Amino acid sequence: MDDHWVGVLSNIGVMSFLALSAYLLLLTGEISFGQQAFFAIGAYAAGIGTALWGWPLAAALGWAALAGAAAAVLVGLPTLRLHGLYFAIATLAFAEMVRILFEMWRYQVPIDGELLGPDGADGFRGIRYVFESNIEPSQYLAIIYALLGAVLLGFLLLERSRLGVSLRMIGEDPELAELNGIPVKRCKVLAAGLAGSLAGVGGGLYAHLTTYVEPRTFDVMLGVHSLAYGLIGGLGTALGPVIGVAIDISVLESVRMFAGYRMIVFGGLVALLLIWRPRGLLDETVVHALKARLRSACRCVWMSARVGETRR
Amino acid sequence: MIDFVQNTLDGVMIGSSYALLALGFTLIFGVMRRLNLSYGPTIMIGAYLGTLLHVDAGAGAAAVAAATVLGAALAGVYVERLCFAPMAAGAGIASMVSSFAIWMQLEQAAILVLPRHTYAFPPLAAGAPLTLGPFLVRLDHATMLIAAAALATGVYLVLHRTRFGLGLRAIVGNPVAAHLVGVDVRLSTLAAFALASAVGGVAGYLVLAVDQQVTPMFGMWATFKGLIAMMLGGLGSIPGAILGGLLLGAIEAHAQWYFGPHIRDLVTFAVLFLVLVLRPTGLIGEAPPAEAAAYGRA
């Protein structure tokens, strides 16, 4: 695989964490314009972990997840009382506050005769752990996708669990869920915390992928993009947001021939797609149909295997 | 004390354009119960049309103003047809994301036509500032305030004194019932969308004429200023939009004066966050009954 595609795939993997973070809240029916804040917090936390405190990558990523989750729960407690647009705008306000604070925050430590650390609007340079530990880009790609695979497995288990059903139920109708004895508030805060930790890990991976983060990357556009990914790929399964990211990044990368018309084509295609499928490519109906077909196919195989056994 | 009053005065004048932006936003939201993220970029399309006339044909202020408003209204119709009209009632989030995709499209279209980073925009009213005792009022700021007040009054009269306005208010109350009593919901919605985009176009024209320049960042700027002002005042309320806009202008002017531009934005977002958390309906808005239903379900 050449370096170009390793880069593209790494980007898709890292952005998937952010898209999954927004998707998890969408399941509970909440739109967040602010998941990029936890992505930013994770990026800074992990960068500080390896570059300034000399931690190994795993510890730094764990710390990024923790920081993202803690921040998300802290914001979630007052804001999750709100609904719909009110919640969306409150998260937007919070995320912009975080971005501006990062633009003002300086915390620099001399490491090997060089000042490292967050330097306000100039960003945080020199997160070189991956390079210094002689991890090849393709190995780092494997790390990203191993973690992403674990997260997707987690989503698969979640969808089959009581909690997953509760979350979707809250998304359908919070009052009905409450009446059925589901602790709506607690579930939502839990979902927000998990979403925050996902974004945090994604941010940590992002910081080590680019070796350099700057606050203006984490603006509202990033947040709205991460929300859009779920709707493009589909809200029926956790694979949806990942597909959404892959479509966006790979289409944008490959359709260079459109040059200046890239966004005109892509924006129009997304708008048409959403008319055709308002809940994305892999929406709930498609996912159910696929599952049913898979199940009957499995049953066929199993039955024919048993038939074979009895004949023998 | 003089500084304080002067800042408030300046802030309120700038805020009058935010109030118009919020007014257009709140009209769309009131009728649709959906968020049009493309609101700012539609205004930008109008502004770029005006700029094109100004740069290529040397058009004067009046022609540029007309082109801006007309262009914004037409772009608004395009967004409504593509992102809002074809979506079913429950697909609020799809409309919002779709309008975001069209935002990208409109922005790129504008940049293709006028690729430089900044273009000159014809000024509104030149001349020496007026003096009111110890206070100074810029002539273009005063014009902006008067135009904004006139337009807000006009929108209020359309909503409360015409059949079209009555129909719109019926749709805001209950679209199904409005349809049953003979209101053409689809047509009225389209017209409201065009009207709101045109109001936004006027706001955009006023802001750009005061700044005397236009950049591709304008679409994003207009969407977010309008959104913040609307949420501060209260979603779906016209007096709320006006109050929110003026308040946002005043807050920005004071914060800028005392702390500089960085902290200004921080203060703005902190105020917005606190208002939403402590008083979710905004300062004078009422919780719209159908809002939770429209957004509760994707």
Side-chain angles (χ1 to χ4, degrees):
Chain A
M1 210 167 4
D2 66 46
D3 289 349
H4 173 73
W5 279 103
V6 171
V8 171
L9 287 176
S10 302
N11 272 330
I12 292 175
V14 166
M15 289 308 297
S16 293
F17 281 87
L18 189 57
L20 284 168
S21 169
Y23 165 78
L24 186 56
L25 276 175
L26 268 180
L27 284 188
T28 69
E30 295 300 349
I31 311 161
S32 166
F33 283 152
Q35 294 310 105
Q36 72 276 18
F38 313 119
F39 193 73
I41 289 170
Y44 274 85
I48 289 171
T50 59
L52 302 189
W53 299 343
W55 289 6
L57 184 63
L61 288 178
W63 153 236
L66 210 64
V73 168
L74 223 61
V75 192
L77 285 174
T79 54
L80 278 167
R81 292 186 301 124
L82 309 171
H83 284 298
L85 195 53
Y86 298 99
F87 176 75
I89 303 302
T91 52
L92 182 150
F94 169 76
E96 284 294 276
M97 273 153 58
V98 168
R99 181 180 62 78
I100 296 168
L101 286 173
F102 274 130
E103 277 182 3
M104 299 191 303
W105 188 44
R106 285 193 171 73
Y107 167 59
Q108 293 201 292
V109 180
I111 307 264
D112 300 334
E114 187 189 3
L115 267 183
L116 286 184
D119 184 19
D122 287 334
F124 179 1
R125 287 170 194 285
I127 308 170
R128 288 185 295 255
Y129 179 90
V130 171
F131 176 72
E132 281 164 1
S133 324
N134 292 320
I135 299 175
E136 293 285 318
S138 54
Q139 286 172 318
Y140 192 61
L141 180 70
I143 295 176
I144 293 173
Y145 277 85
L147 284 172
L148 184 61
V151 168
L152 286 174
L153 191 68
F155 266 100
L156 195 71
L157 295 175
L158 178 76
E159 292 273 353
R160 301 176 69 89
S161 73
R162 211 182 151 75
L163 177 66
V165 176
S166 305
L167 292 184
R168 278 203 187 264
M169 194 165 167
I170 294 169
E172 289 288 327
D173 191 332
E175 277 158 29
L176 201 59
E178 186 89 63
L179 286 175
N180 277 281
I182 290 171
V184 170
K185 171 109 200 188
R186 224 184 300 158
C187 282
K188 278 194 168 179
V189 172
L190 181 64
L194 287 174
S197 72
L198 276 179
V201 174
L205 289 168
Y206 169 80
H208 287 88
L209 178 68
T210 57
T211 73
Y212 165 56
V213 291
E214 55 180 352
R216 76 179 70 98
T217 318
F218 310 110
D219 64 358
V220 189
M221 294 306 253
L222 183 64
V224 185
H225 267 105
S226 61
L227 195 66
Y229 290 142
L231 272 138
I232 296 172
L235 297 179
T237 156
L239 282 176
V242 179
I243 292 172
V245 176
I247 291 176
D248 182 25
I249 296 184
S250 64
V251 166
L252 288 194
E253 281 299 318
S254 58
V255 195
R256 282 261 164 82
M257 59 177 183
F258 288 126
Y261 298 86
R262 204 166 81 173
M263 284 323 298
I264 292 187
V265 176
F266 187 68
L269 283 179
V270 170
L272 291 177
L273 169 78
L274 286 170
I275 294 175
W276 175 48
R277 307 195 70 85
R279 288 177 75 81
L281 282 171
L282 294 179
D283 61 8
E284 288 87 345
T285 324
V286 170
V287 170
H288 275 287
L290 282 178
K291 270 185 192 160
R293 194 166 293 173
L294 200 67
R295 214 169 292 141
S296 66
C298 285
R299 203 170 298 140
C300 267
V301 171
W302 186 68
M303 291 290 276
S304 51
R306 286 206 39 181
V307 169
E309 255 170 45
T310 43
R311 276 208 191 123
R312 225 180 290 138
Chain B
M1 188 58 205
I2 288 183
D3 283 346
F4 185 85
V5 177
Q6 178 73 54
N7 282 332
T8 311
L9 212 57
D10 287 342
V12 165
M13 305 237 174
I14 301 277
S16 65
S17 64
Y18 299 164
L20 280 189
L21 286 173
L23 179 62
F25 231 133
T26 229
L27 262 180
I28 298 178
F29 191 85
V31 175
M32 296 273 205
R33 299 275 151 219
R34 296 176 191 193
L35 187 62
N36 174 21
L37 286 174
S38 247
Y39 178 62
T42 53
I43 300 172
M44 187 169 111
I45 288 292
Y48 265 60
L49 192 66
T51 311
L52 191 66
L53 286 181
H54 180 62
V55 171
D56 276 5
V64 170
T68 305
V69 175
L70 196 67
L74 287 177
V77 168
Y78 170 68
V79 171
E80 200 270 347
R81 289 286 98 186
L82 197 57
C83 308
F84 290 84
M87 304 289 188
I93 301 185
S95 281
M96 186 182 78
V97 169
S98 174
S99 72
F100 176 65
I102 293 307
W103 165 343
M104 302 285 115
Q105 197 187 39
L106 295 179
E107 208 168 79
Q108 178 119 51
I111 294 170
L112 274 177
V113 175
L114 294 171
R116 277 200 347 240
H117 187 66
T118 46
Y119 285 91
F121 203 83
L124 187 61
L130 305 169
T131 46
L132 292 170
F135 308 115
L136 288 176
V137 175
R138 278 174 56 176
L139 213 54
D140 50 2
H141 280 183
T143 319
M144 182 151 100
L145 183 69
I146 293 166
L151 188 60
T153 315
V155 169
Y156 184 84
L157 289 178
V158 166
L159 284 179
H160 290 267
R161 295 278 184 279
T162 66
R163 250 189 110 72
F164 167 64
L166 186 64
L168 278 189
R169 285 185 293 135
I171 296 172
V172 170
N174 186 334
V176 178
H179 171 72
L180 288 178
V181 295
V183 177
D184 187 338
V185 174
R186 294 183 78 88
L187 190 66
S188 296
T189 305
L190 179 63
F193 217 96
L195 174 67
S197 303
V199 170
V202 175
Y205 171 75
L206 293 171
V207 171
L208 292 169
V210 167
D211 287 351
Q212 299 187 20
Q213 60 171 2
V214 57
T215 73
M217 300 302 286
F218 182 72
M220 178 159 156
W221 182 90
T223 289
F224 287 117
K225 286 288 186 238
L227 197 55
I228 294 169
M230 171 173 81
M231 299 305 288
L232 267 182
L235 198 52
S237 140
I238 289 185
I242 309 277
L243 179 73
L246 299 181
L247 191 66
L248 177 62
I251 293 171
E252 282 191 356
H254 284 295
Q256 166 105 10
W257 174 264
Y258 292 110
F259 310 111
H262 245 107
I263 309 263
R264 175 195 69 194
D265 294 344
L266 191 64
V267 169
T268 308
F269 286 114
V271 169
L272 178 64
F273 187 81
L274 286 178
V275 166
L276 284 173
V277 168
L278 299 177
R279 208 181 141 69
T281 51
L283 292 173
I284 50 175
E286 284 172 36
E291 199 273 334
Y295 270 85
R297 177 82 169 82

